[in-house]
Amino acid sequence: MATPIGKGHRSLNLTLRKELNLYANVRPCYSLPGYKTRYDDVNLITIRENTEGEYSGLEHQVVKGVVESLKIITRQASLRVAEYAFHYAKTHGRERVSAIHKANIMQKTDGLFLKCCREVAEKYPDIKYEEVVIDNCCMMLVKNPALFDVLVMPNLYGDIISDLCAGLIGGLGLTPSCNIGEGGIALAEAVHGSAPDIAGKNLANPTALLLSAVTMLRHLKLNDKADRIQNAILSTIAEGKYRTADLGGSSLTTDFTKSICDNL
Amino acid sequence: MTSLLLRRILGSRTSQTFSLANPSSNPNALTRDFSSLSNPIRATLFPGDGIGPEIADSVKQVFKEAEVPIEWEEHYVGDQIDPRTQSFLTWESLESIRRNRVGLKGPMATPIGKGHRSLNLTLRKELNLYANVRPCYSLPGYKTRYDDVNLITIRENTEGEYSGLEHQVVKGVVESLKIITRQASLRVAEYAFHYAKTHGRERVSAIHKANIMQKTDGLFLKCCREVAEKYPEIKYEEVVIDNCCMMLVKNPALFDVLVMPNLYGDIISDLCAGLIGGLGLTPSCNIGEGGIALAEAVHGSAPDIAGKNLANPTALILSAVTMLRHLELNDKADRIQNAILNTIAEGKYRTADLGGSSTTSDFTKAICDHL
């Protein structure tokens, strides 16, 4: 959705987030076989706390030339996203959850986040839990992303890491995303832009939106259908015969889509 | 031989002042005598802990072989807290850097315990080290997934998210303050553009999240724009941090000089170190008020291999090279840097962390031979 420029209204994404209490942003990132990037073995999920942290929007000028911004971490929000992360790990058969932080410097805020993650980790003894400092995490991700499984993070780190991981597998045009809200709401979304320049020309790549729809199916526990569709997409891209322009091919949206249907 | 050296050193010296970090000072004043082997520049050296002393020896050896006009003044971290500094670093050590204005620091392990400041924090506060500079370039011969990295990250190092001002509001709610000031932002932006100019770089990118943190990152950007106007020959752009990370992992050749507030700088500089092979190969230099430059190796002290002649001195030697460039001893800097790159590229002598089996001394000797 392109947010219209202007004042007096909230951005569309912000409205959805606040009204539906979308507290976790989930992005599964896995290397697409057949679409070669520098990384072949990416298979991780980033789970980002989406309501507080550095993005609370509470800034003020102290005196001229000095500005402050508040980062808020609450026990409630941290527990909530940690619970979701471990629950996700369990229901999707993942083995390890890594909490990303900078608690050595931000001892109270990130410290509270970690404390909540540890509490939840104790309830899931079959899932390994580790804590990784954000700068180490970035370095490890660019050197060896296979080290990671499920990552859970406060808002800012989540923003950075989830886009970093999207870059590892080929960009936002291929990355699915799902927002989880209170009461089990799931709003899957494509995180790329609206690309007005190619709108209506049958050139767009539907992969991100299709894969996001797949995450919605998994949330609904329609795993058979989800697997079928995901495999169809991966096979189509792997085959290489039908690829949209952004993947280096010349197929139309409709051809690409038909090819996925054929591969079902 | 000596006269040839003198001529080369004189030739490389321009009428510009030595104080690269202080562009506001009179550009025609020569604030440092020209250096030669008979009139060396004094530099403070902290060998550090663990593998520190061995790799510091490598640096001394390479510098001696390259006839670099530096005289080292060695200082060690004490085992008692100095009440004047509230740290294990003595007042004499700090005075040494303040006097010499350049230094090289090996890895230091901060002792566990309370009642004293961490060593890095002491150095940063006492010497007012406001910018952390890390040149990141792909090392030919040491293959990573990226071949074309050639960028410098400049990180504001005194404020931002690392101000350490946190408090509990009520039980279960904690706040952390991120502070951005005009003074600190201007200072680091000035250094970034000055660095770009003196090192022949074309573009400076300011990394931010001002769409969300409008006032804080907004102020940082405002300061960068002000400084950019004074350097019309250098391109200036602004990149949002999440885009920046994505671009860095997809195509790092897009970037030249990056300037960032503290937290983003921490993340991005380590990300870039990962692109070229890790902290064991990454040089780093801290710039302080008054033109102080403290180069340092950012890797750990590796106590498990200390004293075994296995450590890789590359990071420390390359950091020493950044120190030489700060002193405008560019000939020597180039010679040593090329010697290191050739040694690694050749592949015959490589330490264990680079996939080889050479000892520190063999690797160092190979660098000396390549000079």
mmCIF file of all heavy atoms in Angstrom, chain A residues 38-39 55 59 65 67-71 73-75 102 107-109 135 143 156 159 163 170, chain B residues 145-146 162 166 172 174-178 180-182 209 214-216 242 250 263 266 270 277:
data_model
loop_
_atom_site.group_PDB
_atom_site.id
_atom_site.type_symbol
_atom_site.label_atom_id
_atom_site.label_comp_id
_atom_site.label_asym_id
_atom_site.label_seq_id
_atom_site.Cartn_x
_atom_site.Cartn_y
_atom_site.Cartn_z
ATOM 1 N N ARG A 38 24.552 -15.152 -3.280
ATOM 2 C CA ARG A 38 25.829 -15.584 -2.717
ATOM 3 C C ARG A 38 25.631 -16.628 -1.619
ATOM 4 O O ARG A 38 26.587 -17.203 -1.127
ATOM 5 C CB ARG A 38 26.577 -14.390 -2.123
ATOM 6 C CG ARG A 38 26.905 -13.303 -3.144
ATOM 7 C CD ARG A 38 27.687 -12.194 -2.476
ATOM 8 N NE ARG A 38 27.383 -10.884 -3.040
ATOM 9 C CZ ARG A 38 28.241 -10.185 -3.777
ATOM 10 N NH1 ARG A 38 29.433 -10.647 -4.021
ATOM 11 N NH2 ARG A 38 27.898 -9.002 -4.246
ATOM 12 N N TYR A 39 24.407 -16.838 -1.211
ATOM 13 C CA TYR A 39 24.134 -17.742 -0.099
ATOM 14 C C TYR A 39 23.195 -18.857 -0.551
ATOM 15 O O TYR A 39 22.145 -18.590 -1.125
ATOM 16 C CB TYR A 39 23.494 -16.979 1.062
ATOM 17 C CG TYR A 39 24.365 -15.858 1.578
ATOM 18 C CD1 TYR A 39 24.321 -14.597 1.006
ATOM 19 C CD2 TYR A 39 25.251 -16.084 2.626
ATOM 20 C CE1 TYR A 39 25.140 -13.586 1.462
ATOM 21 C CE2 TYR A 39 26.065 -15.069 3.092
ATOM 22 C CZ TYR A 39 26.008 -13.827 2.504
ATOM 23 O OH TYR A 39 26.812 -12.831 2.954
ATOM 24 N N TYR A 55 10.831 2.276 18.314
ATOM 25 C CA TYR A 55 9.888 2.917 17.407
ATOM 26 C C TYR A 55 8.657 3.421 18.133
ATOM 27 O O TYR A 55 7.566 3.444 17.598
ATOM 28 C CB TYR A 55 9.485 1.923 16.300
ATOM 29 C CG TYR A 55 10.603 1.577 15.353
ATOM 30 C CD1 TYR A 55 11.893 2.070 15.524
ATOM 31 C CD2 TYR A 55 10.382 0.736 14.282
ATOM 32 C CE1 TYR A 55 12.909 1.748 14.657
ATOM 33 C CE2 TYR A 55 11.391 0.408 13.401
ATOM 34 C CZ TYR A 55 12.661 0.910 13.605
ATOM 35 O OH TYR A 55 13.662 0.574 12.736
ATOM 36 N N GLU A 59 9.853 11.391 21.003
ATOM 37 C CA GLU A 59 11.074 12.180 20.902
ATOM 38 C C GLU A 59 10.781 13.587 21.372
ATOM 39 O O GLU A 59 9.665 14.084 21.253
ATOM 40 C CB GLU A 59 11.536 12.263 19.446
ATOM 41 C CG GLU A 59 12.008 10.939 18.863
ATOM 42 C CD GLU A 59 12.483 11.122 17.441
ATOM 43 O OE1 GLU A 59 11.640 11.435 16.583
ATOM 44 O OE2 GLU A 59 13.690 10.978 17.188
ATOM 45 N N GLY A 65 19.575 21.968 19.928
ATOM 46 C CA GLY A 65 20.756 21.200 19.544
ATOM 47 C C GLY A 65 20.906 19.885 20.287
ATOM 48 O O GLY A 65 21.874 19.166 20.073
ATOM 49 N N VAL A 67 18.640 16.456 21.225
ATOM 50 C CA VAL A 67 17.351 15.773 21.076
ATOM 51 C C VAL A 67 17.422 14.409 21.730
ATOM 52 O O VAL A 67 18.450 13.750 21.717
ATOM 53 C CB VAL A 67 16.998 15.610 19.583
ATOM 54 C CG1 VAL A 67 15.537 15.247 19.427
ATOM 55 C CG2 VAL A 67 17.294 16.869 18.810
ATOM 56 N N GLU A 68 16.327 14.003 22.314
ATOM 57 C CA GLU A 68 16.242 12.695 22.961
ATOM 58 C C GLU A 68 15.179 11.856 22.303
ATOM 59 O O GLU A 68 14.143 12.362 21.864
ATOM 60 C CB GLU A 68 15.818 12.860 24.424
ATOM 61 C CG GLU A 68 16.955 13.081 25.381
ATOM 62 C CD GLU A 68 16.447 13.220 26.812
ATOM 63 O OE1 GLU A 68 15.248 12.969 27.063
ATOM 64 O OE2 GLU A 68 17.258 13.597 27.649
ATOM 65 N N SER A 69 15.430 10.563 22.278
ATOM 66 C CA SER A 69 14.418 9.631 21.793
ATOM 67 C C SER A 69 14.294 8.521 22.828
ATOM 68 O O SER A 69 15.293 8.040 23.338
ATOM 69 C CB SER A 69 14.855 9.060 20.449
ATOM 70 O OG SER A 69 13.970 8.047 20.041
ATOM 71 N N LEU A 70 13.072 8.154 23.153
ATOM 72 C CA LEU A 70 12.870 7.124 24.176
ATOM 73 C C LEU A 70 12.695 5.756 23.554
ATOM 74 O O LEU A 70 11.906 5.570 22.634
ATOM 75 C CB LEU A 70 11.619 7.441 24.998
ATOM 76 C CG LEU A 70 11.710 8.623 25.968
ATOM 77 C CD1 LEU A 70 10.347 8.912 26.545
ATOM 78 C CD2 LEU A 70 12.683 8.327 27.074
ATOM 79 N N LYS A 71 13.425 4.809 24.075
ATOM 80 C CA LYS A 71 13.211 3.410 23.696
ATOM 81 C C LYS A 71 12.520 2.749 24.877
ATOM 82 O O LYS A 71 13.029 2.776 25.991
ATOM 83 C CB LYS A 71 14.559 2.740 23.412
ATOM 84 C CG LYS A 71 14.524 1.213 23.453
ATOM 85 C CD LYS A 71 15.897 0.644 23.121
ATOM 86 C CE LYS A 71 15.959 -0.846 23.412
ATOM 87 N NZ LYS A 71 17.153 -1.468 22.840
ATOM 88 N N ILE A 73 10.877 -0.658 26.580
ATOM 89 C CA ILE A 73 10.722 -2.118 26.561
ATOM 90 C C ILE A 73 9.835 -2.485 27.746
ATOM 91 O O ILE A 73 10.095 -2.042 28.873
ATOM 92 C CB ILE A 73 12.080 -2.840 26.697
ATOM 93 C CG1 ILE A 73 13.000 -2.484 25.536
ATOM 94 C CG2 ILE A 73 11.889 -4.340 26.780
ATOM 95 C CD1 ILE A 73 12.698 -3.191 24.249
ATOM 96 N N THR A 74 8.775 -3.232 27.482
ATOM 97 C CA THR A 74 7.911 -3.659 28.575
ATOM 98 C C THR A 74 7.934 -5.167 28.692
ATOM 99 O O THR A 74 8.147 -5.887 27.722
ATOM 100 C CB THR A 74 6.448 -3.226 28.354
ATOM 101 O OG1 THR A 74 5.943 -3.899 27.197
ATOM 102 C CG2 THR A 74 6.336 -1.739 28.171
ATOM 103 N N ARG A 75 7.694 -5.607 29.911
ATOM 104 C CA ARG A 75 7.655 -7.033 30.181
ATOM 105 C C ARG A 75 6.532 -7.687 29.364
ATOM 106 O O ARG A 75 6.711 -8.749 28.774
ATOM 107 C CB ARG A 75 7.409 -7.210 31.682
ATOM 108 C CG ARG A 75 7.560 -8.593 32.170
ATOM 109 C CD ARG A 75 7.508 -8.588 33.711
ATOM 110 N NE ARG A 75 7.011 -9.865 34.159
ATOM 111 C CZ ARG A 75 7.723 -10.993 34.141
ATOM 112 N NH1 ARG A 75 8.963 -10.969 33.724
ATOM 113 N NH2 ARG A 75 7.186 -12.126 34.530
ATOM 114 N N LYS A 102 21.459 -6.114 22.643
ATOM 115 C CA LYS A 102 22.711 -5.420 22.954
ATOM 116 C C LYS A 102 22.683 -5.141 24.446
ATOM 117 O O LYS A 102 22.826 -3.995 24.895
ATOM 118 C CB LYS A 102 22.804 -4.129 22.131
ATOM 119 C CG LYS A 102 24.152 -3.443 22.184
ATOM 120 C CD LYS A 102 25.212 -4.110 21.317
ATOM 121 C CE LYS A 102 26.578 -3.449 21.547
ATOM 122 N NZ LYS A 102 27.649 -4.031 20.719
ATOM 123 N N GLN A 107 21.683 -2.297 29.336
ATOM 124 C CA GLN A 107 21.513 -3.371 30.296
ATOM 125 C C GLN A 107 20.094 -3.525 30.801
ATOM 126 O O GLN A 107 19.625 -4.628 31.027
ATOM 127 C CB GLN A 107 22.452 -3.141 31.481
ATOM 128 C CG GLN A 107 23.911 -3.200 31.039
ATOM 129 C CD GLN A 107 24.861 -2.731 32.105
ATOM 130 O OE1 GLN A 107 24.448 -2.261 33.168
ATOM 131 N NE2 GLN A 107 26.139 -2.844 31.819
ATOM 132 N N LYS A 108 19.399 -2.401 30.997
ATOM 133 C CA LYS A 108 18.054 -2.512 31.567
ATOM 134 C C LYS A 108 17.028 -2.870 30.499
ATOM 135 O O LYS A 108 16.196 -3.753 30.706
ATOM 136 C CB LYS A 108 17.647 -1.216 32.260
ATOM 137 C CG LYS A 108 18.472 -0.902 33.492
ATOM 138 C CD LYS A 108 17.739 0.086 34.397
ATOM 139 C CE LYS A 108 18.467 0.249 35.725
ATOM 140 N NZ LYS A 108 19.386 1.395 35.749
ATOM 141 N N THR A 109 17.066 -2.178 29.363
ATOM 142 C CA THR A 109 16.046 -2.408 28.349
ATOM 143 C C THR A 109 16.229 -3.759 27.675
ATOM 144 O O THR A 109 15.367 -4.635 27.780
ATOM 145 C CB THR A 109 16.049 -1.279 27.304
ATOM 146 O OG1 THR A 109 17.390 -0.892 27.027
ATOM 147 C CG2 THR A 109 15.292 -0.083 27.828
ATOM 148 N N ASP A 135 25.653 -7.061 16.946
ATOM 149 C CA ASP A 135 26.727 -6.871 15.984
ATOM 150 C C ASP A 135 27.384 -8.198 15.603
ATOM 151 O O ASP A 135 27.697 -8.433 14.438
ATOM 152 C CB ASP A 135 27.749 -5.815 16.441
ATOM 153 C CG ASP A 135 28.053 -5.876 17.920
ATOM 154 O OD1 ASP A 135 27.445 -6.683 18.639
ATOM 155 O OD2 ASP A 135 28.906 -5.103 18.385
ATOM 156 N N LYS A 143 28.552 -14.142 7.239
ATOM 157 C CA LYS A 143 29.577 -15.147 7.025
ATOM 158 C C LYS A 143 28.974 -16.539 6.892
ATOM 159 O O LYS A 143 29.381 -17.324 6.056
ATOM 160 C CB LYS A 143 30.593 -15.119 8.177
ATOM 161 C CG LYS A 143 31.474 -13.887 8.155
ATOM 162 C CD LYS A 143 32.432 -13.875 9.333
ATOM 163 C CE LYS A 143 33.693 -14.646 9.019
ATOM 164 N NZ LYS A 143 34.677 -14.555 10.123
ATOM 165 N N LEU A 156 13.766 -2.428 16.644
ATOM 166 C CA LEU A 156 14.776 -1.885 15.718
ATOM 167 C C LEU A 156 15.680 -2.967 15.153
ATOM 168 O O LEU A 156 15.915 -3.045 13.947
ATOM 169 C CB LEU A 156 15.633 -0.822 16.422
ATOM 170 C CG LEU A 156 16.804 -0.289 15.584
ATOM 171 C CD1 LEU A 156 16.334 0.533 14.412
ATOM 172 C CD2 LEU A 156 17.748 0.536 16.441
ATOM 173 N N ASP A 159 13.903 -4.881 12.573
ATOM 174 C CA ASP A 159 13.804 -4.182 11.303
ATOM 175 C C ASP A 159 15.078 -4.401 10.494
ATOM 176 O O ASP A 159 15.040 -4.807 9.327
ATOM 177 C CB ASP A 159 13.621 -2.683 11.600
ATOM 178 C CG ASP A 159 13.158 -1.894 10.400
ATOM 179 O OD1 ASP A 159 12.997 -2.485 9.312
ATOM 180 O OD2 ASP A 159 12.960 -0.676 10.537
ATOM 181 N N ASP A 163 15.479 -7.181 7.194
ATOM 182 C CA ASP A 163 15.837 -6.720 5.850
ATOM 183 C C ASP A 163 17.187 -7.275 5.417
ATOM 184 O O ASP A 163 17.407 -7.566 4.233
ATOM 185 C CB ASP A 163 15.854 -5.189 5.813
ATOM 186 C CG ASP A 163 14.462 -4.613 5.583
ATOM 187 O OD1 ASP A 163 13.486 -5.390 5.602
ATOM 188 O OD2 ASP A 163 14.343 -3.398 5.369
ATOM 189 N N GLY A 170 17.768 -12.637 -1.769
ATOM 190 C CA GLY A 170 17.453 -12.075 -3.064
ATOM 191 C C GLY A 170 16.614 -10.828 -3.052
ATOM 192 O O GLY A 170 16.358 -10.266 -4.103
ATOM 193 N N ARG B 145 32.649 -14.383 0.200
ATOM 194 C CA ARG B 145 31.611 -14.326 -0.817
ATOM 195 C C ARG B 145 31.638 -12.997 -1.571
ATOM 196 O O ARG B 145 30.914 -12.826 -2.546
ATOM 197 C CB ARG B 145 30.239 -14.504 -0.171
ATOM 198 C CG ARG B 145 30.052 -15.847 0.522
ATOM 199 C CD ARG B 145 28.664 -15.937 1.103
ATOM 200 N NE ARG B 145 28.615 -16.680 2.343
ATOM 201 C CZ ARG B 145 28.076 -17.895 2.459
ATOM 202 N NH1 ARG B 145 27.538 -18.485 1.418
ATOM 203 N NH2 ARG B 145 28.066 -18.514 3.620
ATOM 204 N N TYR B 146 32.421 -12.059 -1.082
ATOM 205 C CA TYR B 146 32.431 -10.731 -1.675
ATOM 206 C C TYR B 146 33.838 -10.390 -2.141
ATOM 207 O O TYR B 146 34.798 -10.516 -1.378
ATOM 208 C CB TYR B 146 31.971 -9.691 -0.646
ATOM 209 C CG TYR B 146 30.580 -9.952 -0.137
ATOM 210 C CD1 TYR B 146 30.363 -10.800 0.939
ATOM 211 C CD2 TYR B 146 29.474 -9.381 -0.757
ATOM 212 C CE1 TYR B 146 29.078 -11.065 1.391
ATOM 213 C CE2 TYR B 146 28.198 -9.624 -0.305
ATOM 214 C CZ TYR B 146 28.000 -10.474 0.762
ATOM 215 O OH TYR B 146 26.740 -10.730 1.204
ATOM 216 N N TYR B 162 24.016 4.690 22.983
ATOM 217 C CA TYR B 162 24.925 4.125 23.975
ATOM 218 C C TYR B 162 25.239 5.126 25.075
ATOM 219 O O TYR B 162 26.313 5.136 25.633
ATOM 220 C CB TYR B 162 26.219 3.658 23.292
ATOM 221 C CG TYR B 162 26.035 2.472 22.392
ATOM 222 C CD1 TYR B 162 24.781 1.920 22.128
ATOM 223 C CD2 TYR B 162 27.121 1.890 21.773
ATOM 224 C CE1 TYR B 162 24.617 0.844 21.301
ATOM 225 C CE2 TYR B 162 26.972 0.805 20.942
ATOM 226 C CZ TYR B 162 25.719 0.288 20.701
ATOM 227 O OH TYR B 162 25.583 -0.793 19.867
ATOM 228 N N GLU B 166 19.457 4.689 31.360
ATOM 229 C CA GLU B 166 18.269 3.847 31.402
ATOM 230 C C GLU B 166 17.636 3.942 32.775
ATOM 231 O O GLU B 166 18.309 4.175 33.772
ATOM 232 C CB GLU B 166 18.640 2.383 31.172
ATOM 233 C CG GLU B 166 19.185 2.083 29.792
ATOM 234 C CD GLU B 166 19.501 0.614 29.650
ATOM 235 O OE1 GLU B 166 20.435 0.157 30.324
ATOM 236 O OE2 GLU B 166 18.812 -0.079 28.886
ATOM 237 N N GLY B 172 8.304 -3.559 35.280
ATOM 238 C CA GLY B 172 7.964 -4.165 33.996
ATOM 239 C C GLY B 172 8.027 -3.212 32.820
ATOM 240 O O GLY B 172 7.748 -3.597 31.689
ATOM 241 N N VAL B 174 10.681 -0.398 31.112
ATOM 242 C CA VAL B 174 12.002 0.224 31.186
ATOM 243 C C VAL B 174 12.191 1.164 30.009
ATOM 244 O O VAL B 174 11.712 0.900 28.910
ATOM 245 C CB VAL B 174 13.121 -0.843 31.162
ATOM 246 C CG1 VAL B 174 14.431 -0.228 31.597
ATOM 247 C CG2 VAL B 174 12.769 -2.008 32.053
ATOM 248 N N GLU B 175 12.878 2.252 30.262
ATOM 249 C CA GLU B 175 13.156 3.229 29.205
ATOM 250 C C GLU B 175 14.650 3.373 29.009
ATOM 251 O O GLU B 175 15.418 3.285 29.968
ATOM 252 C CB GLU B 175 12.644 4.610 29.616
ATOM 253 C CG GLU B 175 11.224 4.895 29.227
ATOM 254 C CD GLU B 175 10.785 6.272 29.679
ATOM 255 O OE1 GLU B 175 11.622 7.069 30.134
ATOM 256 O OE2 GLU B 175 9.573 6.526 29.582
ATOM 257 N N SER B 176 15.030 3.635 27.784
ATOM 258 C CA SER B 176 16.428 3.942 27.492
ATOM 259 C C SER B 176 16.451 5.208 26.657
ATOM 260 O O SER B 176 15.653 5.357 25.735
ATOM 261 C CB SER B 176 17.062 2.780 26.725
ATOM 262 O OG SER B 176 18.356 3.113 26.323
ATOM 263 N N LEU B 177 17.343 6.116 26.990
ATOM 264 C CA LEU B 177 17.391 7.381 26.261
ATOM 265 C C LEU B 177 18.434 7.336 25.164
ATOM 266 O O LEU B 177 19.575 6.929 25.382
ATOM 267 C CB LEU B 177 17.762 8.525 27.212
ATOM 268 C CG LEU B 177 16.694 8.967 28.202
ATOM 269 C CD1 LEU B 177 17.291 9.945 29.189
ATOM 270 C CD2 LEU B 177 15.531 9.609 27.481
ATOM 271 N N LYS B 178 18.020 7.761 23.987
ATOM 272 C CA LYS B 178 18.973 7.940 22.891
ATOM 273 C C LYS B 178 19.150 9.433 22.726
ATOM 274 O O LYS B 178 18.191 10.157 22.522
ATOM 275 C CB LYS B 178 18.415 7.321 21.618
ATOM 276 C CG LYS B 178 19.096 7.796 20.340
ATOM 277 C CD LYS B 178 18.503 7.100 19.128
ATOM 278 C CE LYS B 178 18.955 7.769 17.831
ATOM 279 N NZ LYS B 178 18.630 6.936 16.666
ATOM 280 N N ILE B 180 20.949 12.620 20.752
ATOM 281 C CA ILE B 180 21.699 13.090 19.584
ATOM 282 C C ILE B 180 21.894 14.587 19.780
ATOM 283 O O ILE B 180 20.932 15.314 20.058
ATOM 284 C CB ILE B 180 20.936 12.841 18.267
ATOM 285 C CG1 ILE B 180 20.722 11.350 18.051
ATOM 286 C CG2 ILE B 180 21.686 13.455 17.090
ATOM 287 C CD1 ILE B 180 21.922 10.599 17.536
ATOM 288 N N THR B 181 23.141 15.036 19.688
ATOM 289 C CA THR B 181 23.388 16.469 19.814
ATOM 290 C C THR B 181 23.961 17.011 18.517
ATOM 291 O O THR B 181 24.619 16.299 17.748
ATOM 292 C CB THR B 181 24.396 16.784 20.932
ATOM 293 O OG1 THR B 181 25.663 16.212 20.577
ATOM 294 C CG2 THR B 181 23.960 16.218 22.256
ATOM 295 N N ARG B 182 23.695 18.289 18.318
ATOM 296 C CA ARG B 182 24.192 18.957 17.140
ATOM 297 C C ARG B 182 25.720 18.935 17.126
ATOM 298 O O ARG B 182 26.344 18.678 16.101
ATOM 299 C CB ARG B 182 23.673 20.394 17.168
ATOM 300 C CG ARG B 182 23.870 21.161 15.926
ATOM 301 C CD ARG B 182 23.150 22.500 16.007
ATOM 302 N NE ARG B 182 23.824 23.472 15.173
ATOM 303 C CZ ARG B 182 23.784 23.472 13.845
ATOM 304 N NH1 ARG B 182 23.075 22.562 13.213
ATOM 305 N NH2 ARG B 182 24.452 24.375 13.152
ATOM 306 N N LYS B 209 17.551 6.328 10.415
ATOM 307 C CA LYS B 209 16.167 5.850 10.375
ATOM 308 C C LYS B 209 15.288 7.050 10.672
ATOM 309 O O LYS B 209 14.435 7.029 11.581
ATOM 310 C CB LYS B 209 15.967 4.732 11.404
ATOM 311 C CG LYS B 209 14.657 3.970 11.289
ATOM 312 C CD LYS B 209 14.611 2.994 10.141
ATOM 313 C CE LYS B 209 13.209 2.412 10.013
ATOM 314 N NZ LYS B 209 13.076 1.430 8.942
ATOM 315 N N GLN B 214 12.277 10.815 13.829
ATOM 316 C CA GLN B 214 12.359 12.032 13.026
ATOM 317 C C GLN B 214 13.214 13.115 13.656
ATOM 318 O O GLN B 214 13.915 13.838 12.967
ATOM 319 C CB GLN B 214 10.946 12.575 12.770
ATOM 320 C CG GLN B 214 10.137 11.593 11.928
ATOM 321 C CD GLN B 214 8.673 11.938 11.890
ATOM 322 O OE1 GLN B 214 8.228 12.870 12.561
ATOM 323 N NE2 GLN B 214 7.916 11.182 11.116
ATOM 324 N N LYS B 215 13.124 13.236 14.999
ATOM 325 C CA LYS B 215 13.866 14.326 15.610
ATOM 326 C C LYS B 215 15.330 13.963 15.802
ATOM 327 O O LYS B 215 16.220 14.756 15.481
ATOM 328 C CB LYS B 215 13.250 14.711 16.953
ATOM 329 C CG LYS B 215 11.880 15.327 16.846
ATOM 330 C CD LYS B 215 11.523 16.121 18.101
ATOM 331 C CE LYS B 215 10.213 16.868 17.914
ATOM 332 N NZ LYS B 215 9.054 16.143 18.447
ATOM 333 N N THR B 216 15.587 12.759 16.326
ATOM 334 C CA THR B 216 16.974 12.394 16.623
ATOM 335 C C THR B 216 17.761 12.150 15.346
ATOM 336 O O THR B 216 18.718 12.874 15.051
ATOM 337 C CB THR B 216 17.029 11.176 17.557
ATOM 338 O OG1 THR B 216 16.033 10.238 17.174
ATOM 339 C CG2 THR B 216 16.791 11.592 18.987
ATOM 340 N N ASP B 242 17.836 -0.047 7.252
ATOM 341 C CA ASP B 242 17.465 -1.387 6.820
ATOM 342 C C ASP B 242 17.741 -1.586 5.334
ATOM 343 O O ASP B 242 18.218 -2.652 4.914
ATOM 344 C CB ASP B 242 16.016 -1.749 7.194
ATOM 345 C CG ASP B 242 15.045 -0.604 7.056
ATOM 346 O OD1 ASP B 242 15.465 0.521 6.738
ATOM 347 O OD2 ASP B 242 13.842 -0.825 7.279
ATOM 348 N N LYS B 250 23.796 -7.452 -0.651
ATOM 349 C CA LYS B 250 23.585 -7.770 -2.049
ATOM 350 C C LYS B 250 24.702 -7.206 -2.922
ATOM 351 O O LYS B 250 25.188 -7.856 -3.833
ATOM 352 C CB LYS B 250 22.224 -7.241 -2.523
ATOM 353 C CG LYS B 250 21.051 -7.992 -1.924
ATOM 354 C CD LYS B 250 19.717 -7.423 -2.374
ATOM 355 C CE LYS B 250 19.294 -8.022 -3.722
ATOM 356 N NZ LYS B 250 17.957 -7.528 -4.125
ATOM 357 N N LEU B 263 24.756 3.413 17.366
ATOM 358 C CA LEU B 263 24.257 2.041 17.277
ATOM 359 C C LEU B 263 24.344 1.491 15.858
ATOM 360 O O LEU B 263 24.841 0.391 15.631
ATOM 361 C CB LEU B 263 22.802 1.954 17.760
ATOM 362 C CG LEU B 263 22.148 0.582 17.580
ATOM 363 C CD1 LEU B 263 22.752 -0.447 18.494
ATOM 364 C CD2 LEU B 263 20.644 0.658 17.798
ATOM 365 N N ASP B 266 27.838 0.629 15.071
ATOM 366 C CA ASP B 266 28.269 -0.626 15.671
ATOM 367 C C ASP B 266 27.846 -1.788 14.790
ATOM 368 O O ASP B 266 28.646 -2.651 14.420
ATOM 369 C CB ASP B 266 27.599 -0.740 17.051
ATOM 370 C CG ASP B 266 28.227 -1.805 17.920
ATOM 371 O OD1 ASP B 266 29.161 -2.483 17.456
ATOM 372 O OD2 ASP B 266 27.764 -1.973 19.062
ATOM 373 N N ASP B 270 30.476 -3.955 12.080
ATOM 374 C CA ASP B 270 30.709 -5.391 12.251
ATOM 375 C C ASP B 270 30.192 -6.176 11.058
ATOM 376 O O ASP B 270 30.770 -7.192 10.659
ATOM 377 C CB ASP B 270 30.056 -5.882 13.545
ATOM 378 C CG ASP B 270 30.961 -5.652 14.737
ATOM 379 O OD1 ASP B 270 32.006 -4.992 14.589
ATOM 380 O OD2 ASP B 270 30.632 -6.138 15.834
ATOM 381 N N GLY B 277 35.818 -10.929 5.938
ATOM 382 C CA GLY B 277 36.486 -12.070 6.536
ATOM 383 C C GLY B 277 36.539 -12.093 8.044
ATOM 384 O O GLY B 277 37.031 -13.046 8.615
#
